[in-house]
Each structure stands twice: as C-alpha cells, then as structure tokens.
C-alpha cells in the first residue's frame, strides 16, 4: 500500500472480510484500529472475532489496552456495515446479565449471516466450566429459548443462522414465529433446535443438522416438524456418530424427510482412532445404498473424521509440501507447468470459463484438455438471433448426444421453425428429437417462437419444455392472442378465426410482416402460463420480458396463480400488471424487475395492495421507465417505497429517440438521487439511459458529482454507483466533502461478449 492511488482499494479489500478465530490479541488490535480509523470500520462486511479477552478469569486485563476497556463495545459499534458476524470466546453472551450492552451492540447490527460456534446452555445438566470460572446449577432462571428468539427478532434480514453447539430442549419450539425468521434460507443447528425453525422458516433451503443420537422419537418429531418445508430443502448436511446403529438402519427414512434434496453431505464422526472401526468404504456403501429416496440428487459428499487419522494425514501433507517446495526451486519451468493437467476438473473448468471461445478451440488440439474444453464450450450456450447457428447446434446434438448432456444453459433462436425450406432433413419437422437429448438443461431462453405456449401445432414442443427441470426460464417474446393488433411473423398470416384454446388456423405464405385485424379469442393464455409454471417446481428465476400481455390474460393469471405453482421463485421479470399475479404468492421472491409501463394512481394502488406480503423481502429492484412518464417522475419515491428494504436499485430510462430530443442523463440521475431517501438499506445504485444515438452524443450521459453525494447522504449505506456511462463509482472518506465522503471512479464496466457476433450465412438461393 505504498502507492497512495491503490491504498484505498487495498484497504477495502483487506477490511471487507476479517477472520480472526482463536486470535484474541489480533482481535484487540482490530478494535483499536476501529477507534483510530472509524472509516476502516465502515468497510467491514464480514467479521469473525475472538472476544475471550472480555473474561477477566480467562484473560489478564493487564493485556487489554485502556482504549478498549471496559468492553470495547464502542469500537464494535463503529462497524455499522457488518453483514456477516461470528462470535468466539463468549459462550454466554446471549443470556449473561453482565453482557447486556454487548447484546445491544449485536442487536443493532443488520446481519444477513450469523454464526454462534459456542453457546453455553445454563440449563444443561453438566455445563462446561470455562477456565477460571464455576457454575452453580440453575443459577440463572431465565428462558434461553426466549433470548434466542429476541436475537432473531432483532435481525429481520437474517438469511443464514449457524448454532453449532447442542443445547437442551428450550421454549423455542413453542414461541418461534414465521415473522421472527422471514428471510432465513440456511440453518445449522441440533435437530431438536432445528425443529423449532422447520415449521415457520418458509424460505429455508439449506439445512445442516449437527451431531446427535437418533431414535424413533426424534425421527417422529422431525417428520412432523418438517412436513411443510421438507420438499423445499435443496441442500442437506448431517453429522453422525459412526456407532449410531439406529441411524444407519434407518438412513433412508431420515433422508426421505427432505425428498427434494439436490446436494447431500454426510460427515461420520468417531472421536477415536480409525483402527477400531469399519473402513470408510463401508460407510460410503451404506450411504449410497440409501440415496434412492432422493430422486433430484445431484451431488453426494461423504466425510470421515477420526482424530488420530486426521493428525497423521495433516502431518504427512505438511512434510510433503515442505519437501516439494524445496525441490521445486531449481526445477525447469516446463515441468511445473505440466502439473496443470493434475489439477481437479472443477478448477480446470474455472480456468476454461475465463478464456475466449477462440482460445478454448486452440486448447482442444491437446487431447488431454479436450474433454474439459468441451465441457467449457457446451456448459453455457448463447445463440440469440442466430437461427442458423441454432440449427447447427441441434445437428451437433444428434451426432454427439454426449455433448447435448453437457449443456446447462441454452439460449436458442427457433425462428427457423417458420422457414421449413431451410430446415435440414435430420431436424424435420421441428428438431424436437435433438432438443430432447439435452436432458440436463437448467436454464433456458427461447427466441423466435412467440406463440409456442398456446398454439396447438406446438403441443409436442411444449411437452419437451415441460419435461425439463429448469431453475431459470426466460421468455423474451410471448404473443398474446387477445392483443387487439397482433404482429404476424414472417411466413404466416393469422386469420380472424377464434382461438378457443384448442383450435387455431395458420397458413404459410411468402415471408412478410403485417398487422392482423382485431379478433376475439376464447382461449386462456393466463392458464397456459400457469400450466408451464406448474411443470417447473424448481424454477427460481422467471423472465417474461415482453410487455404486450393484455389485461385479460393478466387478470386470469392473478385469479388462478397459487403459491404451490411457484414454490421456489426468487427472481421475476415481468410487466407490473403480470407481476401482480406473483407478488402475493411467491413467498421466496427477492429480485423484481418491472418492465416498461405507463404508471398512474390506479397502477400504484394495485401494486401497493398486491405487494403487501412480499414488500419487505425484495432486495434487488429494477424498473424500466419512459423518459416522458411525468406521473412516474413526480411520484418516484412512492414507487421506490413499495419495496423499502431494497439493497440494489437499477433504473433504466428509455426514450427511443435521439439524445437531442430529451433531457441529458444528469437530469434523470438527479431525479432518481432525490428520491432514494425512502431506501435506507440501499447499497448499490445503477442508472441507465437508453437512446437511439448513444455514440453520436456521448455528452448526454455525463452526470454531476454532487448528485452522487446527495444520494450517499440520503442513503448512508450506499457503496457503489453505476452511472449512465456504465462507469463504476465508490466512495472514500473525505471530511471536506458533504457527508464525509468523496466519489471515487473505479473504472468503466466491461460488458461480457456472449456468443458469436454474426449468424451463419444463408444457404444459396434462399430468400432470407
């Protein structure tokens, strides 16, 4: 950090995440730094700290600097932006009467993640006595369950809670409510404690059960508690005793408590040497023979912990690393580079993912790299507006079904379905056999077929999509047959005959685009959308980009959509009218992207009514607006206030005109900045300015520094700003500026270039 220009960036990297477990002296020095440099305390987002020096019997107070005495709470309270917190060395802080001030400091934090590695239960029959102390049984008459609940109530943003220690039965099961853990997604706890969370934590996805002795009674209690949330748990971790015969005999029953598990991890613990136990392969075979109850399982991890064996392995590895480090000094460079082939496949895939498509093709010359490179190329495929490349891709699937199985994300253009004269014989009539081979697709984007969800002749195509197990689905274009004037795509004419959900007439003609005359239809597009969602219970992200859906379709969807149709939905992009169907039922929703619409008092009132249940859960809010929408600009704060816990806000201003016909970006940026005061938790602000003449008038994208400072003053937690020129700004302490901060330009954002720029040339003699 000698270079002053890099000092700010380095400090932010160093202090963003601090981990000091079992380091009381370093923890003391850190708090001293906070007192001397409060600006550094504000940079901390993750803190793992050892506070055993708070205990005079454990830690000599002569070694505690006067600046941190009596308790250092002032220093800790300066770190106002901590989101992840882990406490070590104070096992009774949550209930000890002398720790009241400390609890207040923790309660005032706005945490997303909290870990309590040690929690001493005063009601335990044989409580652990810490060095220098003693415990008189039942000396504290309080309710530990109630104290834990108070902690949770103070942290409404909490998403991850780790309670590593086993504690006695508490009142937590009887008192904990859904409102105490509205955003909890990940839990680590003893099974008895976990049973208090399972019936009320509606967003829970990750469950880590610490070690305990299982039996019929415990299983029955777990079965009852997990009845509601069981199917929605995706990651399960269980730590078990190697000698727990009941658990090994009933492992399938325990795993079946969470039938939707995709990632399973089991740790076998012995706390003895490995000589008196069965080998690891015995336990691995026991586990793998019982996972048949988990039909969605994608990953299995088995660990074995034996104290003596672990020490021996660590000792051997340390010696090996030491000797290798001495030998490598004089080794030729080419021998060291050759070791890259010995890296794990996951790490090689990560390296390949950072390379350009051309570089990956060059690497495929090496046969050793070819399998990894193929995975890198085919894992994520993006071919929007490239119909002929999409055709070639499907041909490849037919020739190499093994490559089709590698695909996880697919963005494909199927507009060639309307050009039958250009479809290769192998793909006739619709290429569904090729698409069906890609059985592992989890993210799908369909271009060029805006009516696939409802026209009768696309029934087989819908069957293929419905059978996929998608986590993300993007529908960029969806033609609503109820629209007064529907666009006829090239190669078709839409007749005035009615679509009643079963019948639809289409006749092919020469390619052209025309407007279709008004027509009445009796089919229910809202019901078709709901059917699609019902076939995708794992769906987490749904993007319905097109804003041409009619009120009739939106009303149908609002009336019929249920919570069971979107049990895992976390991210939604849709028109505000369509979004209203999802807001009351998508209990796990966190990210909302509202496409462009004409706002008014009625739409705002409807949004307020529909978003009541979910408004405090939205963390990322994106809205696209017309530059000429006067009502919206005059009521922007009211729209932002729909989701008051927003941490990331993105506003896109669209004009569809030249830059000379509208106000410059600084005008709109100032408008946005003047209204973010209703978002006290805002940490990231992005303002985009969309015009048709971006390159001709670059000056219209400039914004004033003062507007950024005003936004920072209104939202003290604001960390980064992306201006209309797509430049990233942050803030550094400067007591001479408004609010004590000055904007600092990090640099321009670089857009990721996805897929080929041009499509393949059309066949000779083709009209297209």
């Amino acid at each position: 950090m000698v270079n002053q220009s890099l000092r700010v960036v380095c400090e932010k990297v160093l202090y963003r995440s601090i981990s000091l477990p079992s380091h009381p002296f370093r923890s003391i020095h850190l708090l001293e730094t906070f007192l001397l440099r409060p600006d550094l305390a504000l940079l901390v987002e993750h803190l793992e700290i050892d506070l055993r020096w708070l205990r005079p019997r454990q830690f000599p107070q002569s070694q505690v600097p006067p600046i941190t005495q009596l308790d250092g709470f002032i220093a800790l309270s300066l770190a106002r932006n901590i989101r992840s917190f882990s406490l070590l060395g104070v096992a009774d802080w949550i209930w000890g009467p002398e720790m009241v001030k400390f609890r207040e400091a923790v309660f005032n934090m706005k945490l997303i993640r909290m870990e309590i590695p040690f929690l001493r239960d005063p009601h335990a029959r044989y409580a652990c006595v810490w060095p220098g102390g003693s415990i008189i049984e039942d000396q504290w008459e309080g309710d530990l369950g109630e104290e834990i609940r108070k902690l949770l109530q103070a942290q409404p943003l909490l998403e991850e809670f780790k309670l590593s220690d086993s504690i006695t039965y508490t009142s937590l099961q009887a008192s904990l409510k859904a409102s105490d853990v509205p955003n909890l997604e990940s839990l680590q706890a003893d099974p008895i404690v976990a049973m208090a969370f399972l019936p009320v934590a509606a967003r829970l996805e990750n469950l880590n059960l610490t070690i305990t002795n299982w039996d019929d009674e415990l299983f029955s209690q777990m079965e009852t508690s997990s009845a509601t949330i069981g199917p929605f748990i995706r990651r399960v971790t269980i730590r078990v005793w190697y000698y727990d015969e009941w658990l090994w005999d009933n492992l399938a029953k325990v795993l079946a408590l969470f039938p939707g598990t995709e990632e399973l991890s089991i740790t076998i613990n012995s706390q003895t040497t490995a000589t008196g136990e069965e080998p690891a392969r015995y336990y691995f075979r026991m586990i793998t023979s019982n996972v048949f109850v988990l039909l969605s399982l994608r990953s299995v991890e088995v660990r074995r912990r034996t104290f003596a064996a672990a020490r021996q392995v660590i000792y051997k590895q340390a010696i090996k690393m030491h000797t290798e480090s001495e030998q490598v000094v004089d080794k030729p460079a080419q021998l060291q580079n050759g070791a890259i082939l010995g890296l794990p496949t996951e790490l090689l895939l990560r390296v390949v993912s950072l390379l350009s498509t051309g570089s990956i093709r060059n690497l495929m010359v090496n046969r050793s790299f070819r399998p990894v490179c193929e995975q890198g190329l085919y894992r994520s495929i993006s071919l929007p507006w490239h119909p002929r490349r999409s055709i070639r891709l499907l041909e490849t699937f037919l020739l190499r079904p093994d490559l089709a199985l590698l695909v996880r994300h697919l963005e494909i253009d199927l507009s060639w379905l309307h050009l039958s004269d250009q479809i290769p014989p192998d793909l006739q009539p619709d290429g569904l056999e090729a698409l069906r081979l890609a059985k592992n697709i989890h993210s799908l984007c369909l271009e060029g077929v805006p009516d696939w969800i409802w026209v009768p002749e696309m029934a087989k195509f819908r069957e293929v999509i419905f059978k996929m197990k998608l986590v993300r689905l993007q529908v960029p274009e969806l033609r609503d047959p109820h629209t007064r004037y529907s666009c006829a795509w090239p190669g078709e004419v839409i007749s005035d005959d009615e679509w009643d959900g079963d019948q639809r007439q289409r006749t092919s003609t020469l390619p052209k685009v025309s407007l279709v005359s008004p027509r009445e239809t009796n089919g229910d597009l809202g019901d078709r959308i709901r059917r699609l969602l019902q076939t995708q219970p794992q769906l987490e992200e749904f993007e319905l980009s097109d804003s041409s859906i009619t009120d009739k379709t939106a009303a149908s969807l609002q009336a019929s959509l249920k919570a069971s149709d979107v049990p895992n939905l976390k991210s939604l992009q849709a028109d505000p009218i369509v979004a209203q169907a999802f807001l009351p039922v998508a209990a796990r929703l966190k990210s909302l992207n509202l496409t462009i619409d004409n706002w008014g008092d009625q739409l705002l009132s409807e949004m307020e009514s529909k978003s009541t249940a979910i408004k405090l859960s939205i963390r990322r809010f994106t809205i696209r607006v017309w530059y000429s929408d006067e009502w919206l600009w005059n009521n922007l704060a009211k729209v932002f206030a729909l989701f008051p816990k927003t941490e990331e806000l993105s506003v896109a201003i669209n004009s569809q005109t030249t830059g000379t016909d509208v106000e410059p970006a600084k005008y709109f940026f100032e408008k946005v900045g003047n209204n973010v005061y209703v978002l006290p938790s805002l940490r990231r602000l992005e303002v985009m300015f969309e015009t048709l003449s971006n390159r001709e008038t670059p000056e219209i994208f400039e914004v004033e520094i003062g507007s950024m400072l005003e936004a920072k003053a209104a939202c003290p937690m604001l960390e980064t700003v992306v201006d209309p020129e797509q430049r990233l700004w942050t803030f550094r302490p400067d007591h001479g500026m408004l609010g004590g901060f000055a904007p600092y330009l990090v640099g321009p954002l670089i857009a990721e270039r996805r897929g080929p720029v041009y499509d393949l040339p059309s066949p000779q003699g083709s009209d297209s």
Side-chain angles (χ1 to χ4, degrees):
M1 293 195 293
V2 177
N3 188 315
Q4 294 298 320
S5 300
L6 294 176
R7 187 179 185 88
V8 174
V9 177
C10 292
E11 286 180 342
K12 190 165 186 176
V13 172
L14 282 173
Y15 283 88
R16 181 181 292 270
S17 179
I18 299 175
S19 183
L20 298 172
S22 304
H23 292 96
F25 288 107
R26 289 181 180 270
S27 298
I28 290 174
H29 296 328
L30 176 67
L31 295 181
E32 287 182 295
T33 302
F34 287 175
L35 292 170
L36 297 172
R37 290 282 306 277
D39 58 306
L40 295 181
L42 293 174
L43 298 177
V44 181
E45 295 183 4
H46 167 77
L47 179 60
E48 190 173 355
I49 192 169
D50 188 335
L51 298 177
R52 79 180 76 169
W53 51 270
L54 289 174
R55 294 301 184 195
R57 295 178 180 177
Q58 302 177 40
F59 204 88
Q61 292 300 290
S62 60
Q63 299 183 28
V64 180
I67 196 172
T68 59
Q69 292 179 350
L70 294 170
D71 48 23
F73 297 151
I74 295 177
L76 191 61
S77 64
L78 292 173
R80 301 189 197 115
N81 295 325
I82 291 178
R83 296 291 173 268
S84 174
F85 195 36
S86 177
L87 290 169
L88 292 94
V90 280
D92 58 357
W93 68 271
I94 200 171
W95 59 270
E98 67 277 14
M99 300 293 286
V100 173
K101 291 185 179 179
F102 183 83
R103 285 195 292 275
E104 289 179 2
V106 177
F107 284 7
N108 289 331
M109 294 178 178
K110 297 180 179 179
L111 299 177
I112 294 176
R113 177 185 179 274
M114 185 171 193
E115 182 176 5
I116 306 177
F118 305 105
L119 179 60
R120 188 171 65 195
D121 188 338
H123 302 300
R125 182 172 178 81
Y126 297 103
C128 173
V129 181
W130 288 77
S134 61
I135 292 182
I136 301 175
E137 227 177 285
D138 298 329
Q139 65 176 0
W140 183 66
E141 299 295 337
D143 186 344
L144 180 58
E146 183 61 26
E147 297 299 326
I148 295 175
R149 187 188 179 200
K150 288 180 183 178
L151 169 64
L152 296 170
Q153 289 175 330
Q155 304 297 336
L157 304 178
L158 198 68
E159 296 180 1
E160 184 176 353
F161 185 48
K162 292 187 177 182
L163 194 61
S164 305
D165 252 2
S166 296
I167 61 178
T168 60
Y169 179 84
T170 69
S171 65
L172 199 58
Q173 291 187 28
S175 61
L176 196 67
K177 308 295 182 184
S179 57
D180 301 331
V181 287
N183 293 297
L184 192 67
E185 295 183 354
S186 178
L187 173 68
Q188 175 179 313
D190 178 274
I192 295 177
V193 177
M195 286 190 287
F197 291 83
L198 294 177
V200 297
R203 292 171 173 255
L204 198 64
E205 291 187 345
N206 185 4
L207 181 62
N208 187 331
L209 298 178
T210 59
I211 206 161
T212 194
N213 292 312
W214 286 79
D215 55 26
D216 290 326
E217 182 181 359
L218 177 60
F219 173 76
S220 177
Q221 293 172 351
M222 283 291 293
E223 193 173 28
T224 302
S225 300
S226 63
T228 303
I229 197 67
F232 303 117
I233 300 296
R234 294 291 174 262
R235 292 175 294 278
V236 174
T237 301
I238 304 178
R239 193 174 173 202
V240 301
W241 293 115
Y242 79 99
Y243 56 76
D244 192 336
E245 293 185 6
W246 187 96
L247 182 63
W248 294 115
D249 292 340
N250 298 272
L251 188 59
K253 292 168 60 177
V254 174
L255 297 180
L257 291 172
F258 312 104
T261 299
E262 297 178 1
E263 300 177 22
L264 175 66
S265 177
I266 297 182
T267 300
I268 302 123
N269 188 284
S270 68
Q271 295 187 347
T272 65
T273 62
T275 55
E277 304 172 21
E278 297 287 350
R281 63 175 177 270
Y282 169 80
Y283 299 105
F284 188 84
R285 186 167 58 250
M286 288 282 286
I287 293 169
T288 54
S289 62
N290 285 277
V291 295
F292 64 89
V293 296
L294 304 177
L295 302 180
S296 302
L297 192 64
R298 299 168 59 191
S299 171
V300 179
E301 179 182 16
V302 180
R303 296 181 179 182
R304 189 185 183 200
R305 298 184 61 179
T306 57
F307 289 170
R311 285 197 295 269
Q312 184 179 10
V313 171
I314 293 172
Y315 176 70
K316 288 182 178 179
Q317 288 180 342
I319 295 177
K320 183 179 180 181
M321 291 175 63
H322 177 69
T323 55
E324 285 183 350
S325 63
E326 292 179 345
Q327 295 172 359
V328 164
V329 173
D330 296 322
K331 277 188 176 182
Q334 62 267 24
L335 292 181
Q336 297 181 41
N337 293 337
I340 190 173
L341 294 175
L343 293 175
T345 302
E346 292 79 5
L347 189 55
L348 289 174
L349 279 172
R350 178 59 180 161
V351 173
V352 170
S353 69
L354 300 174
L355 301 177
S356 65
T357 303
S359 299
I360 297 176
R361 284 200 297 264
N362 293 335
L363 273 179
M364 292 179 70
V365 176
N366 186 315
R367 291 187 177 181
S368 300
F369 277 113
R370 190 176 184 88
V372 176
C373 290
E374 285 181 341
Q375 290 187 56
L377 281 173
Y378 284 88
R379 181 180 292 269
S380 179
I381 299 175
S382 181
L383 298 173
W385 306 105
H386 295 99
R388 295 186 182 87
R389 288 187 182 272
S390 299
I391 290 174
R392 299 294 181 268
L393 175 68
L394 295 180
E395 288 183 300
T396 301
F397 287 175
L398 292 173
L399 295 172
R400 291 282 306 276
D402 57 310
L403 296 181
L405 294 174
L406 298 176
V407 181
R408 298 294 185 272
H409 167 77
L410 179 61
E411 189 170 354
I412 192 169
D413 187 340
L414 297 177
S415 58
W416 50 269
L417 289 175
H418 299 297
L419 306 174
S420 58
D421 58 323
Q422 296 185 25
I423 303 177
D426 292 342
L427 298 181
Q428 294 282 3
D430 48 20
L432 294 183
E433 288 301 323
L435 191 60
R436 192 178 284 112
L437 293 172
K439 300 176 183 176
N440 296 323
I441 291 178
H442 296 134
S443 174
L444 181 65
C445 176
L446 294 171
E447 297 267 9
V449 280
D451 54 2
W452 67 271
I453 200 172
W454 58 272
V455 294
E457 57 267 35
M458 298 290 285
K460 291 184 178 180
F461 182 84
R462 285 193 292 274
E463 289 179 6
V464 174
I465 305 301
F466 287 0
K467 290 180 180 179
M468 293 181 176
K469 297 179 180 179
L470 299 177
V471 176
R472 175 181 180 270
L473 176 61
Q474 183 177 3
V475 185
E477 304 157 293
L478 180 59
R479 187 171 64 197
D480 191 331
H482 304 296
T483 306
R484 183 171 176 80
Y485 292 100
S486 294
C487 176
W489 284 71
E492 65 174 357
V493 169
I494 303 179
S495 67
D496 291 337
D497 295 336
E498 296 181 356
W499 170 62
D500 58 5
D502 297 314
Q503 296 178 351
R504 181 90 167 99
Q505 294 185 4
R506 291 169 50 160
T507 57
S508 296
T509 65
L510 292 176
K512 64 179 180 179
V513 175
S514 61
L515 289 179
V516 181
S517 60
R519 63 192 185 282
E520 293 296 330
T521 58
N522 299 320
D524 189 347
L525 181 58
D527 183 65
R528 290 300 177 93
I529 296 174
R530 186 189 179 201
R531 290 186 198 176
L532 168 65
L533 295 170
Q534 288 174 329
T535 63
Q536 303 298 333
Q538 299 178 22
L539 196 68
E540 297 181 1
E541 185 175 349
F542 184 46
E543 296 185 14
L544 199 59
S545 308
D546 203 321
S547 59
S548 64
I549 290 181
T550 61
D551 292 345
K552 180 178 180 179
T553 296
S556 170
L557 196 59
Q558 290 183 33
S560 61
L561 196 66
K562 308 296 181 185
S564 57
D565 300 332
V566 287
N568 291 298
L569 192 67
K570 296 180 180 178
S571 178
L572 172 69
Q573 175 178 320
D575 178 275
I577 298 178
V578 177
Q580 290 174 27
F582 292 83
L583 295 178
V585 298
R588 295 176 175 236
L589 199 65
K590 283 186 174 182
S591 177
L592 180 62
N593 186 332
L594 297 180
T595 59
I596 208 160
D597 203 340
N598 292 314
W599 285 78
D601 291 327
Q602 181 178 352
L603 179 56
L604 177 66
S605 177
E606 293 171 350
M607 286 292 293
E608 285 178 336
S609 175
K610 298 294 185 180
S611 63
T612 302
I614 200 69
K615 64 185 302 179
L616 298 180
S617 300
I618 299 298
R619 295 290 176 266
R620 292 177 295 278
F621 182 35
T622 301
I623 183 170
R624 191 165 179 235
V625 301
W626 293 115
Y627 80 100
S628 55
D629 193 336
E630 293 185 7
W631 186 96
L632 184 61
W633 293 114
N634 292 331
N635 297 272
L636 198 57
K638 293 181 180 180
V639 176
F640 289 163
L642 289 172
F643 310 105
K645 296 297 184 180
T646 297
E647 297 179 2
E648 300 178 21
L649 174 66
S650 180
V651 181
I653 301 105
N654 185 278
S655 68
Q656 294 187 348
T657 65
T658 60
T660 57
D661 298 330
V662 297
E663 296 284 352
K666 62 183 179 183
Y667 170 82
F668 297 104
F669 189 91
E670 184 178 356
K671 284 276 192 180
V672 174
N674 289 340
N675 287 277
V676 294
Y677 64 89
V678 296
L679 304 176
S681 302
L682 191 64
R683 301 173 63 187
R684 184 179 188 273
L685 173 63
E686 180 179 12
V687 178
M688 295 175 283
F689 194 49
E690 302 171 347
T691 67
L692 298 181
S693 56
N694 294 351
R695 296 182 180 179
E696 297 175 4
T697 53
E699 66 277 0
I700 69 170
F701 296 98
E702 296 178 358
V703 297
E704 296 179 350
I705 299 298
S707 298
M708 294 189 193
L709 291 175
E710 291 175 0
K712 175 65 175 176
C715 304
M717 296 176 64
L718 186 64
E719 298 175 351
T720 57
V721 173
V722 178
D723 66 15
E725 289 189 87
Q726 290 296 288
R727 297 180 302 177
L728 179 66
W729 296 77
T730 187
F731 299 91
R732 58 184 178 184
D734 188 337
H735 298 293
M737 301 292 289
L738 177 65
F741 290 91
Y744 175 77
L745 179 61
V746 178
L749 297 178
I750 301 175
E752 181 183 3
R753 177 175 157 180
R754 301 179 63 186
V757 179
Y758 303 106
D759 197 10
L760 295 173
S762 60
Q764 290 185 352
S766 170
D767 295 333
S768 59

